[in-house]
């Protein structure tokens, strides 16, 4: 591990201070679940209440290590959604520190390592998911710990480091099954690398064998106790259905996913790629690269593939999925959007990052080929990329794991003052967007859950009569999603006498409104409680 000198400790303090202060500014609290974490929270609460550890039907990941981690916090402080968010915040900060240690051990300077950590900290997806109980941040931290142990094992081949790599790979795999990729790629590098790594193959296989064994035993235990849900089997059935489709459709989806994969990775890494880019050979070279970036952006515009692409978390001028019926299902434009004013520059930035990334890889190809650590990062990235592009759906949050791999694979080398200033400027924009977007995501959710609490606790309206959005319906109406009825969402809705929305809807009258302050753009928004017309004898009422 890097020497714990004064500079090292100071940098850790800077990372913690900046990251935690930014989180406090975004005000990420409230007694409600977010996105898919209602499912994970329900599993933990049932276990805390004395029930069996049973994976719910919505869950398609292994989850065990995260549930155990969350239980440690709940045993100390009691169950609440804010306590579960606290458990993830601790892991997010730990992940940033581990990334800093890795970059320093790979001989990055203090300034470059600190910048690389802040690129991950203020990645909009990383920042938004930190105050949640989603699996991406725990998985990211477990993966980073495995990478730290693995790079030491590649250097020393000591049993202690191999066992640490095995331990952290098991942790990652017992959060998300894709953690098994870490020891698989390690084995490939151990077998294929030249020179000093030509040692007994079984040493390189040890992390994979232990991790695979733990995963098999866990899945067998779930099956034996009837504790596994239908989420993972449903995912597998969807994959089979996808591959059973027409070749033309499969190729179209794979092409779409490859484009999304490349553009999101380039966008996420853009501050780092700009920061680390060596000086161009001439002004003509710079002008040529800019012309290519503008041309590719124009092509994407003509294809209607401007960033951000549909992907769950990042949307036009906002963060976080708006999982309400009017926005998510009916696609009503009830939230702020800047359109081309934002999407064109964002696409140009992603394309620029893609070009710079390709140039950096080409320039460093010899160093990458002869470096087992970098080859390991490439191996992990290739396996993950294959998983991303051969699926029928794409989530931007799934791309998060690729960012630290790229930061490690392409260290800062011969950057220029202009590149560093430009990278810092882009990172500042990312940070502002992350903080403001996260604030607004929690602000409207607090208003939504205030509206739902008013309906259910104050007015005594049954949850079965309310379509409160994905998280409310999932938390209060367990079981498999119902077959959607005409005009209703599929989110466990049988009666939607009351709707929670961001705007008005035909067939419904405004029953109550719950305002909230929005920072992006500045102004006031509102959550609406709508009631079906035929049953709405009351006049509209506003709650402020």
């Amino acid at each position: 591990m890097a020497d714990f000198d004064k500079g090292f400790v100071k940098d850790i303090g800077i990372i913690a201070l900046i990251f935690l202060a930014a989180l406090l500014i975004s005000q990420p609290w409230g007694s409600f679940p977010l996105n898919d974490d209602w499912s994970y929270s329900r599993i933990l609460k049932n276990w805390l209440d004395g029930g069996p550890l049973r994976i719910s039907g919505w869950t398609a990941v292994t989850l065990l290590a995260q549930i155990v981690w969350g239980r440690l916090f709940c045993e100390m402080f009691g169950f609440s959604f804010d306590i579960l968010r606290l458990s993830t915040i601790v892991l997010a900060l730990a992940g940033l520190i581990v990334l800093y240690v890795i970059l320093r051990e790979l001989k990055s300077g203090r300034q470059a390592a600190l910048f690389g950590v802040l690129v991950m900290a203020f990645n909009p997806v990383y920042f938004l998911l930190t105050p949640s109980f989603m699996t991406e941040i725990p998985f990211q931290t477990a993966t980073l710990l495995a990478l730290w142990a693995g790079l030491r094992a590649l250097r020393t081949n000591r049993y202690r480091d191999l066992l640490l790599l095995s331990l952290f790979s098991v942790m990652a795999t017992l959060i998300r099954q894709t953690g098994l990729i870490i020891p698989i790629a390690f084995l490939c590098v151990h077998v294929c690398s030249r020179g000093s790594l030509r040692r007994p193959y079984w040493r390189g296989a040890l992390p994979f064998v232990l991790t695979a064994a733990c995963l098999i035993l866990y899945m067998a235990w779930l099956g034996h106790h009837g504790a596994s849900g239908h989420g993972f089997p449903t995912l597998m059935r969807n994959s089979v259905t996808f591959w059973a489709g027409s070749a033309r459709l499969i190729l179209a989806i794979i092409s779409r996913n490859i484009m999304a994969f490349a553009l999101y990775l380039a966008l996420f890494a853009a501050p780092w790629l700009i920061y680390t880019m060596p000086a161009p050979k001439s002004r003509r070279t710079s002008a040529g690269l800019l012309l290519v970036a503008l041309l590719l952006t124009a092509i994407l515009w003509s294809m209607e593939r401007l960033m951000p692409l549909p992907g769950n978390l990042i949307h036009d001028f906002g963060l976080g999925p708006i999982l309400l019926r009017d926005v998510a299902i009916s696609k009503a434009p009830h939230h702020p959007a800047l359109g081309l004013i934002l999407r064109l520059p964002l696409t140009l930035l992603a394309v620029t990052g893609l070009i710079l990334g390709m140039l950096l890889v080409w320039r460093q190809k010899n160093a990458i080929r002869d470096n087992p650590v970098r080859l390991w990062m490439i191996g992990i990235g290739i396996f993950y990329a294959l998983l991303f592009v051969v699926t029928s759906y794409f989530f931007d949050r799934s791309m998060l794991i690729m960012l630290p791999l790229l930061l490690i694979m392409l260290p800062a080398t011969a950057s220029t003052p202009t590149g560093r200033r430009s990278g810092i400027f882009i990172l500042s924009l990312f940070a502002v967007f992350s903080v403001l977007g996260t604030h607004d995501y929690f602000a409207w959710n607090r208003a939504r859950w205030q509206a739902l609490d008013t309906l259910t606790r104050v007015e005594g309206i049954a949850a079965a009569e309310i379509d409160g959005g994905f998280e409310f319906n999932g938390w209060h109406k367990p079981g498999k999603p119902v077959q959607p009825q005409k005009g209703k969402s599929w989110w466990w809705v049988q009666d939607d006498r009351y709707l929670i929305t961001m705007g008005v809807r035909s067939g419904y009258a405004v029953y109550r409104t719950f305002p909230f302050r929005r920072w992006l753009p500045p102004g006031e928004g509102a959550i609406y409680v709508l009631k079906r017309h035929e049953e709405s004898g009351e006049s509209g009422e506003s709650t402020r």
Side-chain angles (χ1 to χ4, degrees):
M1 185 175 289
D3 295 334
F4 283 85
D5 54 21
K6 293 182 179 179
F8 183 89
V9 176
K10 180 180 178 181
D11 288 349
I12 296 302
I14 291 172
I15 293 168
L17 180 62
I18 293 175
F19 188 59
L20 295 178
L23 281 174
L24 286 174
I25 292 172
S26 67
Q27 303 171 26
W29 45 74
S31 182
F32 45 80
L34 294 168
N35 208 341
D36 288 335
D37 76 5
W38 66 266
S39 176
Y40 315 146
S41 304
R42 174 178 287 280
I43 294 168
L44 177 54
K45 190 173 189 307
N46 179 69
W47 192 26
L48 285 167
D49 291 343
L53 178 59
R54 183 180 298 276
I55 304 301
S56 72
W58 187 255
T59 304
V61 292
T62 43
L63 199 65
L64 176 64
Q66 180 173 330
I67 292 295
V68 172
W69 175 259
R71 175 156 189 160
L72 292 176
F73 280 75
C74 291
E75 292 288 356
M76 291 186 288
F77 306 110
F79 176 88
S80 76
F81 293 109
D82 283 326
I83 291 300
L84 295 181
R85 292 188 188 108
L86 175 62
S87 74
T88 310
I89 290 172
V90 171
L91 289 177
L93 182 57
L96 296 176
I97 294 172
V98 174
L99 177 61
Y100 179 85
V101 171
I102 291 174
L103 294 177
R104 288 296 301 273
E105 289 204 353
L106 295 176
K107 308 305 179 184
S108 291
R110 284 182 56 198
Q111 187 180 55
L114 188 60
F115 184 81
V117 169
L118 293 179
V119 167
M120 191 168 85
F122 288 110
N123 175 276
V125 173
Y126 192 90
F127 194 85
L128 179 70
L129 291 178
T130 290
S132 76
F133 198 56
M134 296 286 284
T135 59
E136 282 76 12
I137 298 300
F139 178 73
Q140 185 103 332
T141 298
T143 298
L144 284 166
L145 286 167
L147 296 182
W148 167 75
L151 72 89
R152 293 174 64 87
L154 286 171
R155 289 176 176 175
T156 66
N157 208 41
R158 292 183 299 190
Y159 287 115
R160 182 184 68 181
D161 296 324
L162 288 170
L163 289 175
L164 282 175
L165 169 59
S166 303
L167 172 64
F168 295 135
S169 295
V170 168
M171 289 172 55
T173 305
L174 292 183
I175 297 173
R176 300 179 70 90
Q177 296 92 323
T178 50
L180 190 60
I181 288 173
I182 301 167
I184 291 176
F186 182 84
L187 174 60
C188 293
V189 170
H190 194 277
V191 170
C192 299
S193 293
R194 297 176 295 181
S196 60
L197 285 181
R198 286 196 177 275
R199 296 158 181 163
Y201 291 161
W202 68 266
R203 292 192 176 188
L206 179 63
F208 168 70
V209 171
L210 293 177
T211 304
C214 288
L215 177 60
I216 292 170
L217 289 173
Y218 173 64
M219 298 302 290
W221 179 84
L222 287 178
H224 178 71
H225 291 276
S228 58
H230 64 265
F232 185 66
T234 300
L235 183 65
M236 296 303 295
R237 285 195 298 271
N238 291 342
S239 298
V240 172
T241 302
F242 166 67
W243 285 106
S246 67
R248 187 174 182 177
L249 177 62
I250 293 173
L251 287 176
I253 292 175
I254 290 177
S255 300
R256 179 203 67 186
N257 288 346
I258 290 174
M259 180 186 296
F261 178 89
L263 290 175
Y264 270 108
L265 178 58
L267 178 65
F268 288 174
W272 179 255
L273 296 170
I274 294 171
Y275 182 92
T276 61
M277 187 65 191
K281 295 180 179 180
S282 65
R283 290 186 178 180
R284 182 177 298 180
T285 302
S286 298
L289 293 177
L290 179 59
L291 182 61
V292 171
L294 290 171
L295 179 61
L296 290 176
T297 301
I299 292 174
L300 290 172
W301 185 8
S302 68
M303 296 171 59
E304 298 184 349
R305 300 298 291 169
L306 293 178
M307 298 290 284
L309 301 172
N312 191 248
L313 291 190
I314 303 176
H315 53 85
D316 188 339
F317 217 45
L319 273 179
I322 305 175
L323 298 176
L324 301 176
R325 174 172 153 186
D326 59 324
V327 176
I329 294 181
S330 300
K331 308 300 180 184
H334 290 163
H335 59 91
L338 289 184
L340 292 178
I341 298 175
L342 173 69
R343 301 187 72 188
L344 275 173
L346 198 62
T347 305
L348 179 60
L349 178 61
V351 170
T352 302
L354 182 60
I355 294 172
L356 293 179
M358 294 171 66
L359 288 174
L360 280 171
V361 170
W362 177 256
R363 290 187 178 188
Q364 299 184 28
K365 61 182 182 299
N366 292 329
I368 291 173
R369 184 182 57 201
D370 297 329
N371 188 311
V373 173
R374 295 190 183 188
L375 289 175
W376 188 28
M377 299 304 105
I378 291 175
I380 296 173
I382 289 174
F383 281 120
Y384 274 117
L386 290 174
L387 288 179
F388 291 150
V389 302
V390 297
T391 182
S392 57
Y393 55 87
F394 183 91
F395 289 127
D396 51 13
R397 65 180 191 260
S398 299
M399 289 296 304
L400 186 60
I401 192 62
M402 299 297 297
L403 182 57
L405 301 180
L406 189 141
L407 295 176
I408 295 169
M409 187 185 73
L410 296 176
T413 51
S415 60
T416 64
T418 301
R420 289 193 293 271
R421 287 193 295 269
S422 300
I424 292 171
F425 175 71
I426 298 298
L427 176 60
S428 300
L429 295 180
F430 276 36
V432 171
F433 178 72
S434 297
V435 172
L436 300 186
T438 300
H439 167 273
D440 291 355
Y441 182 53
F442 275 85
W444 75 257
N445 268 292
R446 279 191 290 268
R448 189 233 306 222
W449 285 86
Q450 181 188 359
L452 290 165
D453 286 346
T454 299
L455 291 178
T456 56
R457 298 182 182 181
V458 177
E459 300 188 13
I461 297 170
E465 297 181 86
I466 306 169
D467 183 353
F470 173 69
E471 297 95 337
F472 174 84
N473 296 350
W475 181 259
H476 288 280
K477 308 170 187 179
K480 294 184 179 181
V482 299
Q483 285 294 112
Q485 303 176 37
K486 185 177 181 180
K488 295 183 173 64
S489 79
W490 56 268
W491 295 331
W492 301 272
V493 175
Q494 294 179 334
D495 185 7
D496 54 2
R497 181 185 178 196
Y498 295 90
L499 280 181
I500 303 297
T501 68
M502 282 193 166
V504 297
R505 182 180 176 87
S506 62
Y508 286 81
V510 176
Y511 182 66
R512 291 183 182 273
T513 60
F514 293 79
F516 62 91
R517 291 297 302 174
R518 187 178 57 236
W519 287 0
L520 193 67
E524 186 172 281
I527 289 294
Y528 293 85
V529 179
L530 306 182
K531 188 175 181 180
R532 276 202 300 259
H533 268 312
E534 63 269 21
E535 300 179 12
S536 181
E538 308 90 339
S539 59
E541 181 181 349
S542 177
T543 299
R544 294 179 181 267

